[in-house]
Amino acid sequence: MQVVILAGGLGTRLQGAIPAGLPKPMAPVGGRPFLDHVLDRALAEGADEFLLLTGYSSEVISAHLGPEYRGTPVRYSVEPEPLGTGGALRHASGMLADHFVLLNGDTYTEVAFGALLAQLSFGPLAMALTRMDDTSRFGRVDVQDGVVVGFREKGTTGPGVINAGVYACRRELVDLLPAGRKLSFENDLMTARLADLRPRFVVTTPVFFDIGVPADYAAADEYFAAAGRGTRGAPQP
């Protein structure tokens, strides 16, 4: 199972909380880079290959991980310039498996990858969603009859489900993205083509952190420290 991780974030909202020059997925959480926790979770779900889509301070990530992580091969696709989440994925198209799991490197949740990949029998995209008591910080996802039918902007209050930032994709999905330009996977593909894609979904456990949100960054640090999962030190830029 190939797991592709979007790891080019700058961490603008975390300025002052993490060392300057450190890419967001490498922010120290529970005594380790946040990315390590993401990789550990993927390994627990059966990942046997990692592809890191890097950009800002990419050398920090590659120096930390090298060619493998806990015996699992790691490859890298480095953006020549900031391309956005969709552009980074399109740039890496030649390295993608026919079916793969796509993760945001700055979010952590617990989802059954096998169940998510099984949804690809219905179409080229499947999503993981997380239930929240209040969706206002993240934006809400509307679902109907097991299919994602809409996305609402941040500010919609009350309980609901949000995009967990974990997807199962068929390789053909990437061909819908134009090459060589800055694109958002979420806006220029998922939202723009939602009526055609009609993605199925699975629901994650309640554990969810988006470390681009300062409050979640602090909560993630507390969670992983309390769980005793910090074993490898965070690198310096």
Side-chain angles (χ1 to χ4, degrees):
M1 179 198 304
Q2 184 187 60
V3 174
V4 181
I5 301 176
L6 293 159
L10 277 68
T12 304
R13 288 178 293 177
L14 296 180
Q15 287 183 356
I18 65 175
L22 200 65
K24 185 164 49 172
M26 298 299 289
V29 171
R32 303 172 64 195
F34 184 73
L35 182 59
D36 282 9
H37 300 296
V38 174
L39 295 175
D40 285 347
R41 180 65 198 176
L43 287 175
E45 289 297 328
D48 57 20
E49 178 192 354
F50 292 115
L51 175 59
L52 276 290
L53 311 187
T54 60
Y56 174 72
S57 293
S58 60
E59 68 282 355
V60 176
I61 294 176
S62 58
H64 172 64
L65 295 178
E68 64 176 42
Y69 179 81
R70 292 177 55 188
T72 300
V74 178
R75 295 190 295 161
Y76 303 89
S77 173
V78 183
E79 295 172 302
E81 59 185 348
L83 294 174
T85 52
L89 189 62
R90 185 68 176 85
H91 179 69
S93 60
M95 304 174 72
L96 298 172
D98 289 340
H99 291 180
F100 59 92
V101 174
L102 177 67
L103 311 177
N104 286 318
D106 59 356
T107 59
Y108 177 94
T109 190
E110 297 172 346
V111 57
F113 286 178
L116 187 63
L117 286 164
Q119 303 306 310
L120 294 182
S121 62
F122 298 99
L125 174 68
M127 300 177 60
L129 307 179
T130 298
R131 290 192 178 92
M132 290 279 175
D133 292 334
D134 184 359
T135 62
S136 59
R137 283 200 303 164
F138 301 100
R140 183 179 299 183
V141 177
D142 292 327
V143 300
Q144 183 177 351
D145 299 327
V147 174
V148 173
V149 296
F151 301 104
R152 302 193 205 181
E153 296 293 330
K154 296 178 182 179
T156 303
T157 59
V161 290
I162 66 167
N163 182 357
V166 182
Y167 314 95
C169 307
R170 293 184 196 162
R171 167 65 182 76
E172 67 196 63
L173 185 72
V174 182
D175 294 333
L176 300 175
L177 292 163
R181 48 180 283 211
K182 188 172 183 178
L183 297 164
S184 164
F185 179 81
E186 297 80 6
N187 295 329
D188 295 314
L189 182 61
M190 289 200 316
T191 301
R193 295 179 176 265
L194 183 63
D196 298 323
L197 293 172
R198 292 182 54 81
R200 298 283 181 132
F201 64 90
V202 299
V203 178
T204 75
T205 74
V207 177
F208 176 84
F209 300 106
D210 173 359
I211 65 166
V213 179
D216 262 22
Y217 176 55
D221 186 48
E222 182 178 352
Y223 172 82
F224 284 106
R229 300 178 185 183
T231 57
R232 296 174 64 185
Q236 297 301 312

